[in-house]
Amino acid sequence: MSTAWAGGTDAIVERMDEMTALFIAEQRKSLYQGESASPCEECGEPIPEARRRAIACQYCLACQTKLEQHR
Ligand SMILES: [Zn+2]
């Protein structure tokens, strides 16, 4: 019983890794599509259009976090 369950868990983990890899690939693709992304004011990293629209920010997530911590 427990071995069957362990096998099942491994299969799920494998599937998750696959999904994560696909997700990251998609993110990269949209991040470097260019036109819709504008560079971060702090470090020049491209900011995806979706992020800029959602919170109207000119910083990437890393710089935004840093700036908020300094406040
Ligand atoms: Zn930045």
Side-chain angles (χ1 to χ4, degrees):
M1 194 66 149
S2 63
T3 43
W5 174 242
T9 308
D10 279 353
I12 291 165
V13 170
E14 222 166 88
R15 183 93 191 114
M16 294 267 285
D17 282 350
E18 203 179 295
M19 296 285 280
T20 306
L22 276 172
F23 180 74
I24 291 167
E26 278 300 309
Q27 291 253 304
R28 291 239 172 96
K29 230 197 286 175
S30 59
L31 192 66
Y32 293 108
Q33 252 163 8
E35 305 176 330
S36 61
S38 72
C40 165
E41 300 250 309
E42 188 74 12
C43 70
E45 279 287 310
I47 304 166
E49 173 84 5
R51 174 172 163 72
R52 274 196 303 133
R53 279 219 206 116
I55 51 176
C57 82
Q58 65 270 54
Y59 301 111
C60 72
L61 185 60
C63 291
Q64 182 78 42
T65 307
K66 231 187 328 183
L67 288 166
E68 275 169 14
Q69 279 168 354
H70 277 289
R71 259 172 225 163

